[in-house]
Amino acid sequence: MTIPAWHRTELSLSAEHDHPDPYLDVELWADFTHRPTGTVLRRPAFWDGGATWRLRFAAPAAGAWTWRTGGNVDDPGLIGRTGELTVAAPESARRFERHGFWRTSPGARSLVHADGTPALLVADTAWALPWRATPDDVRTYAADRAAKGFNAALLMSVQPDMHAGGPPDRTEDEGFGVGFEDLEHGRLARLDPAYFQYLDGLLDILHDHGIVPVLQPVFQGFGWKGRSVAGTVVPPEEYARYCRYLVARYGARPVVYLVGADGSGEEPQVAAGGEEIEAWDAYGQPCGLHYRPHGRGRAHQDAVWLDFQWCQTGHFGEHLPERVADMWRNEPAKGVANGEPTYENSGETGKAAGWWQGHEAWSNLCAGGTMGVVYGAGSLWQWRLHAEEGDHEPYFLAPGCGWREALDFEGSRYVGLVGRVLDGLPTTDMSPDRDRAMAGRALSSPDGTLYIAYAEHGGPLRLNPETAKTFPRSYRVVDPRTGETAGQGVRGADDLTVPGEDGKPLVFVCHDV
């Protein structure tokens, strides 16, 4: 068959022998070899119920790719199988099929595509979507978020609370899908393929809208309803095996791995999962941690498998960009973002609402959160079915709202616009800049040709006379509340200001090509 580069293809294998515990006992993979370069990519296979195993692969380059399976069982239906794929240059207009998957930048501070094209994560928080949403729900959700500019969604891959109860029907109040039948006992051994087949369809919809799943295996913190999360008690080897399963099932499309979430990062499951992802992810897609509001936020800072560190600044409606700045200073350098700002309207109508979210995003970005920006809404992250559905922690719900109403909260528009404003700019490895202009929040590219400043109260932007000669002369002034250009031009050689209206938020984009 002929497939485009960076396009996922699937190969099915059927076991000829009986395997009593296929998820736990069978290890299966395929080595894909590129001619003529000799590049080899190993992709794990996953069990998909009955006698069926599947391999998913995306070729990063055109040419001929041969494949051969290997594993730990003596089964001619699974081991020693071979084939060949013919891969053509990508023709798709889709960003990920044109430029390749995300990875961390050369300086480890931001995202780039496989071909080096700069990228910025603009993520929404829809933690409970995988076990609560239906395909129609996700079509509505994805269309809204894509239209606003979001390109990623934070997802708990399975319902993590051991003591959450409800019918196994995601359309009923308190109902949810179950990925592991023994998770309620703190185990990850009895996987239900049907759950993940359903999840395949939901993630396909996100993919079709250009939204990358940020997959968290099993939460270590509050979870869904705060009822004893399994992520801190499952055996580390089972957590690691599940991470490998996620790589096998979802790693041949754009994905981000959030191997630890809402904990200290020091839980033994986290390192076990991170090491497993590093061993099996042939594409080097981003893998990192997301912390609870308190703590140091630098667990495993020097680990090879760790690409990013995300803080959580609490849920009190306070702007705390200093936490992002503190994490940016940690060494060795890792990508940083505020992975969980205060949810809009969480607990009370008006908390962290409207422009609060836009100010939060631009402030954290300029403080060093150069991997990207994240948004969340009360009632949406829980995927509350409707405004009257009970049995949720009131502190995190948006009063009188289900997920659908929360989708329309004003603040999401402003966060989504961040990516639109910066799209196409050389944002790779930008860093906080407090020297080149009198701006409280600003970033510069490594070569100095791009300078971005967020002015909470508007302009003009006043330059440092000592560095003005090397400051970019072309400029664009943007209203971050609308994304519209409020002014643009070329600064005179001796002019020490960039004009901008005073009294309203502005973003200055100064860029010499």
Side-chain angles (χ1 to χ4, degrees):
M1 68 174 70
T2 300
I3 57 173
W6 295 112
H7 180 83
R8 188 186 75 187
T9 189
E10 182 175 284
L11 306 170
S12 296
L13 303 171
S14 295
E16 295 184 9
H17 299 161
D18 181 47
H19 301 280
D21 205 341
Y23 173 69
L24 293 181
D25 294 341
V26 177
E27 295 182 12
L28 182 64
W29 61 83
D31 289 328
F32 291 82
T33 303
H34 184 229
R35 295 201 312 262
T37 65
T39 299
V40 178
L41 298 181
R42 174 167 288 187
R43 287 285 299 146
F46 61 91
W47 174 62
D48 204 27
T52 301
W53 272 258
R54 302 190 192 277
L55 284 158
R56 290 176 174 172
F57 175 69
W65 289 82
T66 60
W67 56 271
R68 183 180 183 87
T69 60
N72 68 342
V73 293
D74 184 12
D75 188 325
L78 303 177
I79 306 301
R81 303 298 301 273
T82 61
E84 182 170 324
L85 302 171
T86 301
V87 179
E91 297 180 354
S92 174
R94 290 183 174 181
R95 186 182 298 257
F96 289 98
E97 293 180 9
R98 189 167 70 250
H99 299 297
F101 300 162
W102 281 340
R103 60 182 61 177
T104 52
S105 59
R109 293 297 192 185
S110 60
L111 295 178
V112 295
H113 288 270
D115 67 358
T117 300
L120 182 77
L121 176 106
V122 184
D124 186 35
T125 308
W127 290 126
L129 178 155
W131 66 86
R132 296 226 84 192
T134 66
D136 285 343
D137 291 344
V138 178
R139 290 186 190 96
T140 298
Y141 169 82
D144 178 272
R145 277 355 195 193
K148 288 175 178 172
F150 290 92
N151 60 17
L154 277 59
L155 308 173
M156 300 183 199
S157 61
V158 293
Q159 195 288 113
D161 291 357
M162 292 184 288
H163 300 136
D169 183 342
R170 57 187 69 214
T171 66
E172 292 188 26
D173 282 12
E174 302 178 35
F176 58 92
V178 176
F180 285 88
E181 296 174 7
D182 53 355
L183 184 143
E184 62 179 333
H185 304 298
R187 300 292 304 276
L188 297 174
R190 295 172 58 197
L191 177 141
D192 181 1
Y195 172 87
F196 292 95
Q197 291 161 3
Y198 196 100
L199 182 57
D200 282 354
L202 304 185
L203 298 192
D204 285 348
I205 296 167
L206 295 181
H207 171 78
D208 289 343
H209 287 81
I211 296 176
V212 177
V214 180
L215 291 179
Q216 207 293 314
V218 188
F219 233 53
Q220 280 83 34
F222 180 82
W224 184 31
K225 298 183 177 182
R227 296 178 184 168
S228 305
V229 289
T232 58
V233 300
V234 298
E237 62 273 16
E238 293 184 8
Y239 194 88
R241 183 186 296 108
Y242 179 43
C243 287
R244 185 170 72 217
Y245 181 87
L246 292 175
V247 172
R249 187 151 204 144
Y250 301 113
R253 273 185 173 168
V255 68
V256 174
Y257 301 107
L258 195 59
V259 71
D262 212 30
S264 70
E266 300 289 356
E267 296 84 2
Q269 294 83 1
V270 170
E275 291 166 1
E276 196 75 2
I277 290 170
E278 177 72 17
W280 287 98
D281 173 26
Y283 303 107
Q285 302 203 69
C287 175
L289 304 181
H290 163 52
Y291 293 92
R292 61 196 179 197
H294 55 288
R296 298 174 63 215
R298 55 165 292 114
H300 309 290
Q301 187 76 24
D302 59 353
V304 173
W305 54 264
L306 184 80
D307 298 313
F308 64 84
Q309 302 276 39
W310 286 359
C311 74
Q312 178 182 175
T313 48
H315 300 280
F316 303 112
E318 296 177 287
H319 297 296
L320 299 171
E322 62 269 24
R323 294 192 179 180
V324 175
D326 285 344
M327 294 178 74
W328 186 87
R329 296 185 188 101
N330 290 336
E331 294 182 350
K334 303 290 181 179
V336 175
N338 181 355
E340 199 172 7
T342 301
Y343 292 105
E344 188 165 12
N345 294 314
S346 177
E348 60 183 276
T349 302
K351 181 192 284 185
W355 176 243
W356 187 100
Q357 295 289 339
H359 176 74
E360 172 81 350
W362 283 104
S363 297
N364 288 315
L365 180 75
C366 292
T370 50
M371 185 173 176
V373 295
V374 180
Y375 167 81
S379 292
L380 191 150
W381 75 261
Q382 303 99 324
W383 213 268
R384 189 187 194 191
L385 297 188
H386 55 83
E388 286 74 41
E389 186 187 24
D391 198 34
H392 290 280
E393 171 53 56
Y395 182 81
F396 291 116
L397 289 174
C401 294
W403 74 269
R404 184 59 189 84
E405 292 80 14
L407 198 63
D408 295 329
F409 289 167
E410 178 186 353
S412 62
R413 301 203 310 266
Y414 305 126
V415 180
L417 280 173
V418 174
R420 295 275 173 82
V421 171
L422 301 182
D423 188 36
L425 294 170
T427 54
T428 301
D429 289 325
M430 295 192 77
S431 60
D433 186 338
R434 297 174 179 86
D435 299 327
R436 303 173 75 196
M438 285 182 278
R441 304 175 181 90
L443 299 168
S444 276
S445 61
D447 64 3
T449 61
L450 175 63
Y451 179 91
I452 298 168
Y454 166 56
E456 179 181 0
H457 302 295
L461 180 67
R462 295 177 171 83
L463 311 187
N464 179 351
E466 298 178 0
T467 59
K469 288 185 178 180
T470 60
F471 194 89
R473 292 179 59 188
S474 297
Y475 67 87
R476 178 167 55 100
V477 183
V478 179
D479 184 340
R481 298 166 301 178
T482 64
E484 296 177 356
T485 298
Q488 58 186 335
V490 178
R491 180 179 54 85
D494 298 322
D495 195 343
L496 296 180
T497 63
V498 177
E501 183 179 348
D502 200 12
K504 67 176 185 179
L506 292 177
V507 172
F508 293 86
V509 179
C510 305
H511 180 214
D512 284 341
V513 179

